[in-house]
Coordinates of all heavy atoms in Angstrom, one line a residue:
M208 N -27.1 19.6 -5.6 CA -27.0 21.0 -5.1 C -25.6 21.2 -4.8 O -25.0 20.4 -4.0 CB -28.0 21.0 -4.0 CG -27.8 22.2 -3.1 SD -28.8 22.2 -1.6 CE -30.3 21.4 -2.0
A209 N -24.9 22.2 -5.3 CA -23.5 22.5 -4.9 C -23.5 23.5 -3.9 O -24.0 24.6 -4.0 CB -22.8 23.0 -6.2
L210 N -22.9 23.2 -2.7 CA -22.7 24.1 -1.6 C -21.3 24.3 -1.3 O -20.5 23.5 -1.5 CB -23.5 23.5 -0.4 CG -25.0 23.3 -0.5 CD1 -25.5 22.6 0.7 CD2 -25.7 24.6 -0.7
T211 N -21.0 25.5 -0.8 CA -19.7 25.7 -0.3 C -19.6 25.7 1.1 O -20.6 26.0 1.8 CB -19.1 27.1 -0.9 OG1 -20.0 28.1 -0.4 CG2 -19.0 27.1 -2.4
P212 N -18.5 25.5 1.7 CA -18.5 25.4 3.2 C -18.8 26.8 3.8 O -18.6 27.7 3.1 CB -17.1 25.0 3.6 CG -16.3 25.1 2.3 CD -17.3 25.2 1.1
P213 N -19.3 27.0 4.9 CA -19.6 26.0 5.9 C -21.1 25.5 6.0 O -21.7 25.6 7.0 CB -19.3 26.7 7.2 CG -19.6 28.1 6.9 CD -19.4 28.3 5.4
F214 N -21.6 25.1 4.8 CA -23.0 24.5 4.7 C -22.9 23.1 4.7 O -22.0 22.5 4.1 CB -23.7 25.1 3.6 CG -24.0 26.6 3.7 CD1 -23.1 27.5 3.0 CD2 -25.0 27.1 4.5 CE1 -23.3 28.9 3.1 CE2 -25.3 28.5 4.4 CZ -24.4 29.4 3.8
R215 N -24.0 22.5 5.2 CA -24.1 21.0 5.1 C -25.6 20.7 4.9 O -26.5 21.5 5.2 CB -23.6 20.3 6.4 CG -24.4 20.5 7.6 CD -23.7 19.7 8.7 NE -23.4 20.6 9.8 CZ -23.2 20.3 10.9 NH1 -23.2 19.0 11.3 NH2 -23.0 21.2 11.8
I216 N -25.8 19.5 4.3 CA -27.2 19.1 4.0 C -27.7 18.3 5.1 O -27.0 17.4 5.6 CB -27.2 18.3 2.7 CG1 -26.8 19.2 1.5 CG2 -28.6 17.8 2.4 CD1 -26.7 18.5 0.2
R217 N -28.9 18.6 5.6 CA -29.5 17.9 6.7 C -30.6 17.0 6.1 O -31.5 17.6 5.4 CB -30.1 18.8 7.8 CG -30.9 18.1 8.8 CD -31.5 19.1 9.6 NE -31.2 18.8 10.9 CZ -31.5 19.5 12.1 NH1 -32.2 20.6 11.8 NH2 -31.2 19.2 13.3
H218 N -30.6 15.7 6.2 CA -31.6 14.9 5.6 C -32.6 14.6 6.7 O -32.3 14.2 7.8 CB -30.9 13.6 5.1 CG -30.0 13.8 4.0 ND1 -30.5 13.9 2.7 CD2 -28.7 13.8 3.9 CE1 -29.5 14.1 1.9 NE2 -28.3 14.1 2.6
N219 N -33.8 15.0 6.4 CA -34.9 14.7 7.3 C -35.4 13.3 7.2 O -35.4 12.7 6.1 CB -36.1 15.6 7.0 CG -35.8 17.1 7.2 OD1 -35.0 17.3 8.0 ND2 -36.4 17.9 6.4
L220 N -35.6 12.7 8.3 CA -36.1 11.2 8.3 C -37.6 11.0 7.9 O -38.4 11.9 8.2 CB -35.8 10.6 9.7 CG -34.5 10.6 10.2 CD1 -34.3 10.2 11.6 CD2 -33.5 9.8 9.3
C221 N -37.9 9.9 7.3 CA -39.3 9.7 6.9 C -40.0 9.1 8.2 O -39.4 8.2 8.8 CB -39.3 8.6 5.8 SG -38.7 9.3 4.3
V222 N -41.2 9.5 8.4 CA -42.0 9.0 9.6 C -43.3 8.7 8.9 O -44.0 9.5 8.4 CB -42.2 10.1 10.6 CG1 -43.0 9.5 11.7 CG2 -40.8 10.5 11.2
G223 N -43.6 7.3 8.8 CA -44.8 6.9 8.2 C -44.8 7.2 6.8 O -43.9 6.9 6.0
S224 N -45.8 7.9 6.3 CA -45.9 8.3 4.8 C -45.3 9.7 4.6 O -45.3 10.1 3.4 CB -47.3 8.1 4.3 OG -48.1 9.1 4.9
Q225 N -44.9 10.4 5.7 CA -44.5 11.7 5.5 C -42.9 11.7 5.4 O -42.2 11.3 6.4 CB -44.9 12.7 6.6 CG -46.4 12.7 6.8 CD -46.8 13.5 8.0 OE1 -46.0 13.7 8.9 NE2 -48.1 13.9 8.0
C226 N -42.4 12.1 4.3 CA -41.0 12.2 4.1 C -40.6 13.7 3.9 O -41.2 14.3 2.9 CB -40.5 11.4 3.0 SG -40.6 9.6 3.3
G227 N -39.6 14.2 4.5 CA -39.1 15.5 4.3 C -38.0 15.6 3.3 O -37.4 14.6 3.0
S228 N -37.9 16.7 2.6 CA -36.8 16.8 1.6 C -35.6 17.3 2.3 O -35.7 17.9 3.4 CB -37.3 17.7 0.5 OG -37.5 19.0 1.0
P229 N -34.4 17.1 1.8 CA -33.2 17.6 2.5 C -33.3 19.2 2.6 O -33.8 19.8 1.6 CB -32.1 17.2 1.5 CG -32.6 16.1 0.7 CD -34.1 16.4 0.6
S230 N -32.8 19.7 3.6 CA -32.8 21.2 3.8 C -31.3 21.6 4.0 O -30.5 20.8 4.5 CB -33.7 21.5 5.0 OG -33.1 21.0 6.1
V231 N -31.1 22.8 3.6 CA -29.8 23.4 3.8 C -29.8 24.3 5.0 O -30.6 25.1 5.2 CB -29.4 24.1 2.5 CG1 -28.0 24.7 2.7 CG2 -29.4 23.2 1.3
E232 N -28.8 24.1 5.8 CA -28.6 25.0 6.9 C -27.3 25.3 7.2 O -26.3 24.5 6.8 CB -29.2 24.3 8.2 CG -28.4 23.1 8.7 CD -28.9 22.4 9.9 OE1 -30.1 22.7 10.3 OE2 -28.2 21.8 10.6
P233 N -26.9 26.5 7.7 CA -25.5 26.8 8.0 C -25.0 25.9 9.1 O -25.7 25.6 10.0 CB -25.6 28.3 8.5 CG -27.0 28.6 8.6 CD -27.9 27.5 8.1
A234 N -23.7 25.4 8.9 CA -23.2 24.6 10.0 C -22.7 25.4 11.1 O -22.2 26.5 10.9 CB -22.0 23.9 9.3
H235 N -22.9 24.8 12.2 CA -22.5 25.6 13.5 C -21.2 25.1 14.1 O -21.0 24.9 15.2 CB -23.6 25.5 14.5 CG -24.9 26.1 14.1 ND1 -25.0 27.5 14.0 CD2 -26.0 25.6 13.8 CE1 -26.2 27.7 13.6 NE2 -26.9 26.7 13.4
V236 N -20.4 24.6 13.0 CA -19.1 24.0 13.5 C -18.0 24.9 12.8 O -18.3 25.5 11.7 CB -18.9 22.5 13.0 CG1 -19.8 21.6 13.7 CG2 -19.1 22.5 11.5
P237 N -16.9 25.1 13.4 CA -15.8 25.9 12.8 C -15.2 25.3 11.5 O -15.5 24.1 11.3 CB -14.8 26.0 13.9 CG -15.1 25.0 15.0 CD -16.5 24.6 14.7
I238 N -14.6 26.0 10.7 CA -14.1 25.7 9.5 C -13.0 24.6 9.7 O -12.9 23.7 8.9 CB -13.4 26.8 8.7 CG1 -14.5 27.9 8.4 CG2 -12.6 26.4 7.5 CD1 -15.4 27.4 7.4
V239 N -12.3 24.6 10.8 CA -11.3 23.6 11.1 C -12.0 22.2 11.1 O -11.4 21.3 10.6 CB -10.5 23.9 12.4 CG1 -9.7 22.8 12.8 CG2 -9.9 25.2 12.3
S240 N -13.1 22.1 11.8 CA -13.7 20.8 11.9 C -14.2 20.3 10.4 O -14.1 19.2 10.1 CB -15.0 20.9 12.7 OG -14.6 21.1 14.1
Y241 N -14.6 21.3 9.6 CA -15.0 20.9 8.2 C -13.8 20.4 7.5 O -13.9 19.5 6.7 CB -15.6 22.2 7.5 CG -15.9 22.0 6.1 CD1 -17.0 21.2 5.7 CD2 -15.0 22.4 5.1 CE1 -17.3 21.0 4.4 CE2 -15.2 22.2 3.8 CZ -16.4 21.5 3.4 OH -16.6 21.2 2.1
L242 N -12.7 21.1 7.6 CA -11.4 20.6 6.9 C -11.0 19.3 7.5 O -10.6 18.5 6.7 CB -10.4 21.7 7.1 CG -10.5 23.0 6.4 CD1 -9.4 24.0 6.8 CD2 -10.7 22.9 5.0
E243 N -11.1 19.1 8.8 CA -10.8 17.8 9.3 C -11.6 16.7 8.8 O -11.3 15.6 8.4 CB -10.9 17.8 10.9 CG -9.7 18.6 11.5 CD -9.9 18.7 12.9 OE1 -10.9 18.3 13.5 OE2 -9.0 19.3 13.6
E244 N -13.0 17.0 8.7 CA -13.9 16.0 8.1 C -13.6 15.7 6.6 O -13.6 14.6 6.2 CB -15.3 16.6 8.2 CG -16.4 15.7 7.7 CD -17.8 16.3 7.9 OE1 -17.9 17.1 8.7 OE2 -18.7 16.0 7.1
M245 N -13.2 16.8 5.9 CA -12.8 16.6 4.4 C -11.5 15.7 4.3 O -11.4 14.9 3.4 CB -12.6 17.8 3.8 CG -13.9 18.7 3.6 SD -15.3 17.7 2.8 CE -14.6 17.5 1.2
Q246 N -10.5 16.0 5.2 CA -9.3 15.2 5.3 C -9.7 13.7 5.6 O -9.1 12.7 5.0 CB -8.3 15.7 6.2 CG -7.7 16.9 5.8 CD -6.8 17.6 6.9 OE1 -6.8 17.2 8.0 NE2 -6.0 18.5 6.4
M247 N -10.5 13.5 6.5 CA -10.9 12.1 6.9 C -11.6 11.4 5.8 O -11.4 10.2 5.5 CB -11.8 12.1 8.2 CG -12.1 10.7 8.6 SD -10.7 9.6 8.9 CE -10.4 9.9 10.5
Q248 N -12.5 12.2 5.1 CA -13.2 11.6 3.9 C -12.2 11.2 2.8 O -12.4 10.1 2.2 CB -14.3 12.5 3.4 CG -15.1 12.0 2.3 CD -15.9 10.8 2.7 OE1 -16.5 10.8 3.8 NE2 -16.0 9.7 1.9
R249 N -11.2 12.1 2.6 CA -10.2 11.7 1.6 C -9.5 10.5 2.0 O -9.2 9.6 1.1 CB -9.3 12.9 1.4 CG -8.1 12.6 0.5 CD -7.9 13.7 -0.5 NE -6.6 13.5 -1.2 CZ -6.5 12.6 -2.2 NH1 -7.4 12.0 -2.7 NH2 -5.3 12.5 -2.8
F250 N -9.1 10.4 3.3 CA -8.4 9.2 3.8 C -9.2 7.9 3.5 O -8.7 6.8 3.1 CB -8.1 9.3 5.2 CG -7.5 8.1 5.9 CD1 -6.2 7.8 5.6 CD2 -8.2 7.3 6.7 CE1 -5.6 6.6 6.1 CE2 -7.7 6.2 7.2 CZ -6.4 5.8 6.9
V251 N -10.4 8.0 3.8 CA -11.4 6.8 3.7 C -11.5 6.5 2.2 O -11.5 5.3 1.8 CB -12.8 7.1 4.2 CG1 -13.8 6.1 3.8 CG2 -12.7 7.2 5.8
D252 N -11.5 7.5 1.3 CA -11.7 7.3 -0.1 C -10.4 6.6 -0.6 O -10.5 5.6 -1.5 CB -11.9 8.5 -0.9 CG -13.3 9.1 -0.7 OD1 -14.2 8.4 -0.2 OD2 -13.5 10.3 -1.0
V253 N -9.2 7.1 -0.2 CA -7.9 6.5 -0.6 C -7.9 5.0 -0.1 O -7.4 4.2 -0.8 CB -6.8 7.3 -0.1 CG1 -5.5 6.6 -0.3 CG2 -6.7 8.7 -0.9
A254 N -8.2 4.8 1.1 CA -8.2 3.4 1.7 C -9.1 2.5 0.9 O -8.8 1.3 0.7 CB -8.6 3.5 3.1
R255 N -10.3 3.0 0.5 CA -11.3 2.1 -0.3 C -10.6 1.7 -1.7 O -10.7 0.7 -2.1 CB -12.6 2.8 -0.4 CG -13.4 2.7 0.8 CD -14.8 3.3 0.6 NE -15.5 3.2 1.9 CZ -16.5 4.1 2.2 NH1 -16.9 5.0 1.3 NH2 -17.1 3.9 3.3
S256 N -10.0 2.8 -2.3 CA -9.5 2.5 -3.6 C -8.3 1.7 -3.5 O -8.1 0.8 -4.4 CB -9.1 3.9 -4.3 OG -8.0 4.5 -3.7
F257 N -7.4 1.8 -2.5 CA -6.3 0.9 -2.3 C -6.8 -0.6 -2.0 O -6.2 -1.5 -2.6 CB -5.5 1.3 -1.0 CG -4.3 0.4 -0.8 CD1 -3.3 0.5 -1.6 CD2 -4.4 -0.5 0.3 CE1 -2.1 -0.4 -1.4 CE2 -3.3 -1.3 0.5 CZ -2.2 -1.2 -0.2
A258 N -7.9 -0.7 -1.3 CA -8.4 -2.1 -1.0 C -9.0 -2.7 -2.3 O -8.9 -4.0 -2.5 CB -9.5 -2.1 0.0
A259 N -9.5 -1.9 -3.2 CA -10.1 -2.4 -4.4 C -9.0 -2.7 -5.5 O -9.3 -3.6 -6.4 CB -11.1 -1.4 -5.0
E260 N -7.8 -2.1 -5.4 CA -6.8 -2.4 -6.4 C -6.2 -3.8 -6.2 O -6.2 -4.3 -5.1 CB -5.7 -1.4 -6.3 CG -6.0 0.0 -6.7 CD -4.9 1.0 -6.6 OE1 -3.8 0.6 -6.3 OE2 -5.2 2.2 -6.8
E261 N -5.7 -4.4 -7.3 CA -5.1 -5.7 -7.3 C -3.6 -5.6 -7.5 O -2.9 -6.6 -7.6 CB -5.7 -6.6 -8.3 CG -7.2 -6.9 -8.0 CD -7.8 -7.9 -8.9 OE1 -7.1 -8.4 -9.8 OE2 -9.1 -8.1 -8.7
D262 N -3.0 -4.4 -7.7 CA -1.6 -4.3 -7.9 C -0.8 -4.7 -6.7 O 0.3 -5.2 -6.8 CB -1.3 -2.8 -8.2 CG -1.8 -2.2 -9.5 OD1 -2.2 -3.1 -10.3 OD2 -2.0 -1.1 -9.6
G263 N -1.3 -4.6 -5.5 CA -0.6 -5.0 -4.3 C -0.4 -6.5 -4.3 O 0.6 -7.0 -3.7
L264 N -1.4 -7.3 -4.8 CA -1.2 -8.7 -4.9 C 0.0 -9.1 -5.7 O 0.7 -10.1 -5.3 CB -2.5 -9.3 -5.4 CG -3.8 -9.1 -4.6 CD1 -5.0 -9.7 -5.4 CD2 -3.7 -9.8 -3.3
A265 N 0.2 -8.5 -6.8 CA 1.4 -8.8 -7.7 C 2.6 -8.6 -6.9 O 3.6 -9.4 -7.0 CB 1.3 -8.0 -9.0
V266 N 2.7 -7.4 -6.3 CA 4.0 -7.1 -5.5 C 4.1 -8.2 -4.4 O 5.3 -8.6 -4.1 CB 3.8 -5.7 -4.8 CG1 5.0 -5.4 -3.8 CG2 3.7 -4.7 -5.9
T267 N 3.1 -8.6 -3.7 CA 3.2 -9.6 -2.6 C 3.7 -10.8 -3.2 O 4.6 -11.6 -2.7 CB 1.8 -9.8 -2.0 OG1 1.4 -8.6 -1.5 CG2 2.0 -10.8 -0.8
E268 N 3.2 -11.3 -4.4 CA 3.7 -12.5 -5.0 C 5.2 -12.4 -5.5 O 5.9 -13.4 -5.2 CB 2.8 -12.8 -6.3 CG 1.4 -13.2 -6.0 CD 0.5 -13.1 -7.2 OE1 1.0 -12.8 -8.3 OE2 -0.7 -13.6 -7.1
Y269 N 5.6 -11.3 -5.9 CA 7.0 -11.2 -6.2 C 7.9 -11.2 -5.0 O 9.0 -11.8 -4.9 CB 7.3 -9.8 -7.0 CG 6.9 -9.9 -8.4 CD1 6.0 -9.0 -9.0 CD2 7.4 -10.9 -9.3 CE1 5.5 -9.0 -10.3 CE2 7.0 -11.0 -10.6 CZ 6.1 -10.1 -11.1 OH 5.7 -10.1 -12.4
G270 N 7.4 -10.6 -3.9 CA 8.1 -10.6 -2.6 C 8.2 -12.1 -2.1 O 9.3 -12.5 -1.6
L271 N 7.1 -12.8 -2.2 CA 7.2 -14.3 -1.8 C 8.2 -15.1 -2.7 O 8.9 -15.9 -2.1 CB 5.9 -14.9 -1.8 CG 4.9 -14.4 -0.7 CD1 3.5 -14.9 -0.9 CD2 5.3 -14.8 0.6
L272 N 8.2 -14.8 -4.0 CA 9.1 -15.5 -4.9 C 10.5 -15.2 -4.5 O 11.4 -16.0 -4.5 CB 8.7 -15.2 -6.3 CG 9.5 -15.8 -7.4 CD1 9.3 -17.4 -7.3 CD2 9.2 -15.3 -8.7
L273 N 10.8 -13.9 -4.3 CA 12.2 -13.4 -3.9 C 12.6 -14.1 -2.6 O 13.7 -14.6 -2.4 CB 12.2 -12.0 -3.8 CG 13.6 -11.4 -3.4 CD1 14.5 -11.7 -4.5 CD2 13.4 -9.8 -3.3
A274 N 11.7 -14.3 -1.7 CA 12.0 -14.9 -0.4 C 12.4 -16.4 -0.6 O 13.3 -16.9 0.0 CB 10.9 -14.7 0.6
L275 N 11.6 -17.0 -1.5 CA 11.7 -18.5 -1.8 C 13.2 -18.7 -2.4 O 13.9 -19.6 -2.0 CB 10.7 -19.0 -2.7 CG 10.8 -20.4 -3.1 CD1 10.6 -21.3 -1.8 CD2 9.8 -20.8 -4.2
V276 N 13.5 -17.8 -3.3 CA 14.8 -17.9 -4.0 C 15.9 -17.6 -3.0 O 16.9 -18.4 -3.0 CB 14.9 -16.9 -5.2 CG1 16.3 -16.7 -5.6 CG2 14.0 -17.2 -6.3
A277 N 15.8 -16.7 -2.1 CA 16.8 -16.4 -1.1 C 16.9 -17.6 -0.2 O 18.1 -18.0 0.2 CB 16.4 -15.2 -0.2
V278 N 15.8 -18.3 0.3 CA 16.0 -19.5 1.1 C 16.6 -20.6 0.3 O 17.5 -21.3 1.0 CB 14.5 -19.9 1.6 CG1 14.5 -21.3 2.2 CG2 14.0 -18.8 2.6
A279 N 16.4 -20.7 -0.9 CA 17.0 -21.7 -1.7 C 18.4 -21.5 -1.9 O 19.2 -22.5 -1.7 CB 16.3 -21.9 -3.1
L280 N 18.8 -20.3 -2.0 CA 20.3 -19.9 -2.2 C 21.0 -20.3 -0.9 O 22.1 -20.8 -0.9 CB 20.4 -18.5 -2.6 CG 21.8 -18.0 -2.8 CD1 22.4 -18.7 -4.0 CD2 21.7 -16.5 -3.1
V281 N 20.4 -19.9 0.2 CA 21.0 -20.2 1.5 C 21.2 -21.6 1.7 O 22.2 -22.1 2.2 CB 20.2 -19.5 2.7 CG1 20.7 -20.0 4.0 CG2 20.3 -18.0 2.7
A282 N 20.2 -22.4 1.4 CA 20.2 -23.9 1.5 C 21.3 -24.5 0.7 O 22.1 -25.3 1.1 CB 18.9 -24.5 1.2
V283 N 21.5 -24.0 -0.6 CA 22.5 -24.5 -1.5 C 23.9 -24.1 -0.9 O 24.8 -25.0 -0.9 CB 22.4 -24.0 -2.9 CG1 23.6 -24.1 -3.8 CG2 21.2 -24.6 -3.5
V284 N 24.1 -22.9 -0.5 CA 25.4 -22.5 0.1 C 25.7 -23.3 1.4 O 26.9 -23.8 1.5 CB 25.4 -21.0 0.3 CG1 26.7 -20.6 1.1 CG2 25.4 -20.2 -1.0
K285 N 24.7 -23.5 2.2 CA 25.0 -24.4 3.4 C 25.4 -25.8 3.1 O 26.2 -26.3 3.7 CB 23.7 -24.4 4.4 CG 23.5 -23.1 5.1 CD 24.5 -23.1 6.3 CE 24.0 -22.2 7.3 NZ 24.9 -22.1 8.4
T286 N 24.7 -26.3 2.1 CA 24.9 -27.7 1.7 C 26.3 -27.9 1.0 O 27.0 -28.8 1.3 CB 23.8 -28.2 0.9 OG1 22.6 -28.1 1.6 CG2 23.9 -29.7 0.5
F287 N 26.4 -27.1 0.0 CA 27.6 -27.2 -0.9 C 28.7 -26.1 -0.7 O 29.6 -25.9 -1.6 CB 27.1 -27.2 -2.3 CG 26.2 -28.3 -2.7 CD1 24.9 -27.9 -2.9 CD2 26.6 -29.6 -2.8 CE1 23.9 -28.9 -3.3 CE2 25.6 -30.6 -3.0 CZ 24.3 -30.3 -3.3
G288 N 28.7 -25.5 0.5 CA 29.6 -24.4 0.7 C 31.1 -24.8 0.6 O 31.8 -24.1 -0.2
S289 N 31.5 -25.9 1.2 CA 32.8 -26.2 1.2 C 33.3 -26.7 -0.3 O 34.4 -26.5 -0.7 CB 33.2 -27.3 2.2 OG 32.4 -28.5 1.9
T290 N 32.4 -27.4 -0.9 CA 32.6 -27.9 -2.2 C 32.8 -26.6 -3.3 O 33.7 -26.6 -4.1 CB 31.5 -28.8 -2.8 OG1 31.3 -29.8 -1.9 CG2 31.8 -29.3 -4.2
I291 N 32.0 -25.7 -3.0 CA 32.0 -24.4 -3.9 C 33.3 -23.7 -3.6 O 34.0 -23.2 -4.5 CB 30.8 -23.5 -3.7 CG1 29.5 -24.2 -4.1 CG2 31.0 -22.2 -4.4 CD1 28.3 -23.6 -3.8
K292 N 33.7 -23.6 -2.3 CA 34.9 -23.0 -2.0 C 36.1 -23.6 -2.6 O 37.1 -23.0 -3.1 CB 35.0 -22.9 -0.5 CG 36.3 -22.1 0.1 CD 36.3 -22.1 1.6 CE 37.5 -21.3 2.0 NZ 37.5 -21.2 3.4
T293 N 36.2 -24.9 -2.5 CA 37.3 -25.8 -3.2 C 37.3 -25.5 -4.6 O 38.4 -25.3 -5.2 CB 37.1 -27.2 -2.8 OG1 37.0 -27.3 -1.3 CG2 38.2 -28.1 -3.3
W294 N 36.1 -25.6 -5.3 CA 36.1 -25.4 -6.7 C 36.6 -24.0 -7.1 O 37.5 -23.9 -8.1 CB 34.7 -25.6 -7.3 CG 34.6 -25.5 -8.7 CD1 34.8 -26.5 -9.6 CD2 34.2 -24.4 -9.4 NE1 34.6 -26.1 -10.9 CE2 34.2 -24.8 -10.8 CE3 33.7 -23.1 -9.1 CZ2 33.8 -23.9 -11.9 CZ3 33.4 -22.3 -10.2 CH2 33.4 -22.6 -11.5
F295 N 36.2 -22.9 -6.4 CA 36.7 -21.6 -6.8 C 38.2 -21.5 -6.5 O 38.9 -20.8 -7.2 CB 35.9 -20.5 -6.0 CG 34.7 -20.1 -6.7 CD1 33.4 -20.4 -6.2 CD2 34.7 -19.3 -7.9 CE1 32.2 -20.0 -6.9 CE2 33.5 -19.0 -8.6 CZ 32.3 -19.3 -8.0
G296 N 38.6 -22.1 -5.4 CA 40.2 -22.1 -5.1 C 40.9 -22.7 -6.1 O 41.9 -22.2 -6.6
K297 N 40.4 -23.9 -6.7 CA 41.2 -24.6 -7.8 C 41.1 -23.8 -9.0 O 42.2 -23.6 -9.7 CB 40.5 -26.0 -8.0 CG 41.2 -26.8 -9.1 CD 40.5 -28.2 -9.2 CE 41.2 -29.0 -10.3 NZ 41.4 -28.3 -11.6
A298 N 40.0 -23.1 -9.4 CA 39.9 -22.4 -10.5 C 40.8 -21.1 -10.4 O 41.5 -20.7 -11.4 CB 38.5 -21.9 -10.7
T299 N 40.9 -20.5 -9.3 CA 41.8 -19.4 -9.1 C 43.3 -19.8 -9.3 O 44.1 -19.1 -10.0 CB 41.7 -18.8 -7.7 OG1 40.2 -18.4 -7.5 CG2 42.5 -17.6 -7.5
T300 N 43.6 -20.9 -8.7 CA 45.0 -21.5 -8.8 C 45.3 -21.7 -10.3 O 46.4 -21.3 -10.8 CB 45.2 -22.7 -8.0 OG1 44.8 -22.5 -6.6 CG2 46.6 -23.2 -8.1
D301 N 44.4 -22.3 -11.1 CA 44.6 -22.7 -12.5 C 44.8 -21.4 -13.2 O 45.7 -21.3 -14.2 CB 43.5 -23.5 -13.0 CG 43.4 -24.9 -12.4 OD1 44.4 -25.3 -11.8 OD2 42.3 -25.6 -12.6
V302 N 44.0 -20.3 -12.9 CA 44.1 -19.1 -13.8 C 45.5 -18.4 -13.5 O 46.1 -17.9 -14.3 CB 42.9 -18.2 -13.5 CG1 43.0 -16.8 -14.0 CG2 41.7 -18.8 -14.0
T303 N 45.8 -18.3 -12.2 CA 47.1 -17.6 -11.8 C 48.3 -18.4 -12.3 O 49.3 -17.7 -12.7 CB 47.1 -17.4 -10.3 OG1 47.0 -18.6 -9.6 CG2 46.0 -16.4 -9.9
T304 N 48.3 -19.7 -12.3 CA 49.5 -20.4 -12.7 C 49.6 -20.5 -14.2 O 50.6 -20.5 -14.8 CB 49.5 -21.9 -12.2 OG1 48.3 -22.5 -12.6 CG2 49.7 -21.8 -10.7
A305 N 48.4 -20.4 -15.0 CA 48.4 -20.5 -16.4 C 48.6 -19.1 -17.0 O 49.0 -19.0 -18.2 CB 47.0 -21.1 -16.9
A306 N 48.6 -18.1 -16.3 CA 48.8 -16.7 -16.8 C 50.3 -16.5 -17.2 O 51.2 -16.9 -16.5 CB 48.4 -15.6 -15.8
P307 N 50.5 -15.9 -18.4 CA 52.0 -15.7 -18.7 C 52.6 -14.6 -17.8 O 52.0 -13.6 -17.5 CB 51.9 -15.2 -20.2 CG 50.5 -14.7 -20.3 CD 49.7 -15.5 -19.3
Q308 N 53.9 -14.8 -17.6 CA 54.6 -13.8 -16.6 C 55.7 -13.2 -17.3 O 56.3 -13.4 -18.2 CB 55.0 -14.6 -15.4 CG 53.9 -15.2 -14.7 CD 54.3 -15.8 -13.4 OE1 55.4 -15.8 -13.0 NE2 53.4 -16.5 -12.7

């Protein structure tokens, strides 16, 4: 049953063997409350679909891999920093003295 605002469906509860069918009644709430309710429902729907997706897991894995590479790079520079600096200094000297003038 398609209804337009400000109507809502009221579901009657079953008592014993007597079950009522849903009835339509005009809502006694302002349109603003209806819009807020629809926005909240949209938020809940988006949150559920986000929780069901697995794309976020791949992003998290790439982030952890990037963090691991960064930690390894920092460890290498800390350990071999002076050796690397000496090697680049020697290479720079060799290039500048070997260049024709």
Side-chain angles (χ1 to χ4, degrees):
M208 164 186 329
L210 299 174
T211 58
F214 294 99
R215 72 179 120 161
I216 296 176
R217 172 190 233 175
H218 294 281
N219 296 329
L220 299 175
C221 294
V222 179
S224 63
Q225 299 175 346
C226 291
S228 62
S230 61
V231 178
E232 66 178 20
H235 299 291
V236 293
I238 296 293
V239 174
S240 294
Y241 175 78
L242 293 176
E243 289 173 352
E244 182 178 332
M245 294 306 294
Q246 288 175 342
M247 182 55 92
Q248 183 62 41
R249 171 133 171 83
F250 174 76
V251 169
D252 291 342
V253 169
R255 283 183 182 155
S256 68
F257 178 75
E260 290 180 5
E261 294 184 5
D262 294 339
L264 296 176
V266 172
T267 303
E268 291 168 356
Y269 284 123
L271 289 173
L272 184 61
L273 183 64
L275 180 65
V276 168
V278 168
L280 184 62
V281 168
V283 167
V284 169
K285 281 282 198 187
T286 304
F287 301 110
S289 60
T290 306
I291 294 170
K292 183 178 179 181
T293 304
W294 183 80
F295 274 111
K297 183 179 179 309
T299 302
T300 304
D301 291 346
V302 170
T303 54
T304 56
Q308 296 184 11

